[in-house]
Amino acid sequence: YNSAFMNMLKLEENAKYRQTIKNVLEFNPEILKRFVNFMNNPDERTAVEQFGKEKKYFGAAVLLVTMPGLPMFGHGQVEGFHEKYGMEYKKAYWDEPVDDHLVAEHGRRIFPLVRRRRLFSGSESFVLYDFFVEGVVNENVFAYSNRFGAERGLVLYHNCYATTSGWIRSSAARAVTIDSGETVLVQTTVGEALGFNSDGRYYYVFRDYATGLEYIRHGRELCEKGMYVELEAYEYHAFLDFREIRDDDYGTWGALCFGLGGRGVPSIDDEVKLVRFAPLVETFRTLCTELQNLVTPLPPSAGAAIPEGRLPGGLGGGVRRFAELLAETAGGTAEASAIAETVNIRLERAWALVAGAAAGTEPPPWHEVVDTPAGRLLLFITAVLRGAAEGTAAGKEREDAAERLGTFGLLRALLDVISDAGAVMELPWSSAEAAGLVTVLLRHRLIDPDGEAVQLRQLVTERDAARFLGVHTSGGFEWFVKERFEELVAWLVPADLLECPEAEAVRREELLAASMADLLARAAGAGYRVDRLPAAAESGEAGAAGERE
């Protein structure tokens, strides 16, 4: 039972504990597998009293579950209980509520690592590194790696109230038995320990389980210089899911690595699309800038003409250029003229919707969502992407068409477009939420062509919709935010009307209004709890009945 783990980390005697590990490695690394590490036990104060509930607690907990040996959680540790449970206890004597936030943070930060214990529990491939800051070892940083088969993991934790930055490259010595039977001390590097290829054509992508971000590093740099890391007070990184990538003949991955400059991103695969389809992406961004200039003024009056030379001429040629590159990128499955025509039709419908809603004596219930420059911009961007998806769909389902835009990097570029727009206009959402909202509008219709209403539970639990709706767990149940749900349902109406001919708009809007009211009532009846939402079959009844009528 390794009480040094608990006591030395708590007191931040980091050099002493690192030396403890070094001593074991130099004597017999196999001993590490026999350690039982813990942050509290029946004879000690509880973990939350010793480590708190913030960054230091989770940093130590990450070490607990990623060091060789056996991690031991104390009774009530995950729930955040303060009562000290002795060995003689048969029941709790304090009436303590479960700390739902602490449990949720364990679910987000710690349990995913616990599920990877086979990677961390052994000591055969465990390597401890020195963290060098301008040539001097920072003893407050724990850095180590481990392997299991093809799996690789690298963990760093800064157990100190300070900031630091430096490199890990060389390891501490460990005892190794050579062919002659003699035991010798050897050192290695992070490149050797994790099997990186020093050939300049190889790159390594990996994910940080602390932030969810992905990184890319050059194999040669990892082998020759090691890995550079910046750490805040009590910050940790758990790098896993390493994959090796050989650069293509165009230097795509090298360009991405250089362009990111070590920065983490949600998806490296999405980022590489920005490099691979750079001409199309840049044309889309330019078109969105023109759209932003178009929608920034006050809403147009009813029946106002579309600005001369903008539509259907293509916003100064922007639509035409975008359509040409999209058709070229799609590989001949669509014609540029057809894409441009579809996009322009959708943009004209967006203009008519904004103009009509602004001029009406009784604005429709969905009017508020497009009654701001930011709202109008999102509607126009949705119109462009809807038209692009239709123009390249070739009979595919709308979800497939939306995904196809994603493969060309347009959905990733959308995030940058909205982020840039937020710098000059007020956005009521984060950039990620707004981009997710547009993605939802591309994939879903309030009432599909068969008269089926959107499947409510499926909509709420979809990743992008869930982020926009603020889906969260409390009291053991998933909930979504009432105001965000009302806003999302309102957005589905004008998005649906983009594809409706103007002659049918009045009848279609009546059906949509009824479906909108029905969805709002169903959500309210469920108390905005996900598991209480109606099943798919139930949620389609109202829309189908309205369409048949």
Side-chain angles (χ1 to χ4, degrees), residues 294-295 299-307 311 343-360 363-364 366-367 370 376 379-380 383 493-495 497-503 505-506 509:
L294 178 66
V295 304
S301 59
I306 295 171
L311 293 172
V343 170
N344 277 321
I345 290 173
R346 297 292 165 258
L347 285 172
E348 288 177 339
R349 285 293 295 138
W351 181 274
L353 288 171
V354 172
W366 50 266
H367 172 242
V370 296
R376 294 193 290 274
L379 182 63
F380 273 69
V493 177
L497 291 172
L498 288 174
E499 298 177 13
C500 177
E502 191 167 358
V506 174
E509 191 166 350

Side-chain angles (χ1 to χ4, degrees), residues 138-197:
N138 184 340
E139 296 284 358
N140 293 319
V141 177
F142 293 86
Y144 52 89
S145 67
N146 215 331
R147 299 185 66 171
F148 181 86
E151 296 182 69
R152 293 171 276 199
L154 176 62
V155 178
L156 298 97
Y157 169 53
H158 186 209
N159 191 36
C160 179
Y161 186 68
T163 60
T164 187
S165 59
W167 292 81
I168 56 167
R169 181 181 183 275
S170 56
S171 75
R174 57 175 285 145
V176 174
T177 302
I178 59 178
D179 293 340
S180 65
E182 181 184 2
T183 299
V184 297
L185 295 180
V186 299
Q187 288 180 280
T188 186
T189 65
V190 66
E192 294 169 343
L194 295 180
F196 296 142
N197 193 325

Side-chain angles (χ1 to χ4, degrees), residues 481-505:
V481 178
K482 171 181 180 289
E483 291 77 14
R484 281 297 182 88
F485 180 77
E486 293 172 347
E487 189 173 9
L488 175 59
V489 173
W491 263 107
L492 286 169
V493 177
D496 187 298
L497 291 172
L498 288 174
E499 298 177 13
C500 177
E502 191 167 358
E504 303 173 12

Side-chain angles (χ1 to χ4, degrees), residues 53 57-58 77-80 98-112 115 236 471-478:
K53 296 183 179 182
Y57 171 86
F58 284 105
Q77 177 177 334
V78 173
E79 296 88 343
V98 172
D99 187 328
D100 290 331
H101 175 72
L102 188 65
V103 174
E105 286 297 284
H106 277 84
R108 185 175 70 88
R109 299 167 178 262
I110 305 303
F111 298 160
R115 297 186 186 102
Y236 73 89
V471 174
H472 60 282
T473 301
S474 179
F477 298 100
E478 283 192 313

Side-chain angles (χ1 to χ4, degrees), residues 13-61:
E13 295 177 337
N14 302 314
K16 288 184 179 181
Y17 192 62
R18 290 187 73 249
Q19 189 59 51
T20 298
I21 301 173
K22 288 182 177 182
N23 292 342
V24 176
L25 288 172
E26 292 179 7
F27 179 70
N28 182 358
E30 291 295 298
I31 293 175
L32 286 177
K33 293 195 298 186
R34 303 208 301 263
F35 279 10
V36 177
N37 299 319
F38 53 89
M39 296 170 66
N40 75 297
N41 62 38
D43 299 321
E44 302 286 347
R45 288 181 297 139
T46 59
V48 293
E49 287 194 12
Q50 298 192 81
F51 292 90
K53 296 183 179 182
E54 304 301 329
K55 296 179 69 175
K56 180 169 180 173
Y57 171 86
F58 284 105

Side-chain angles (χ1 to χ4, degrees), residues 31 33-34 36 103 123-124 136-137 149 173 178 184 269 287 320 327 332 338 372 394 421 445 459 486 538:
I31 293 175
K33 293 195 298 186
R34 303 208 301 263
V36 177
V103 174
S123 60
E124 295 83 355
V136 178
V137 176
I178 59 178
V184 297
D269 289 339
L287 175 57
R320 185 177 62 254
T372 64
R445 296 181 68 168
L459 174 66
E486 293 172 347
E538 297 176 76

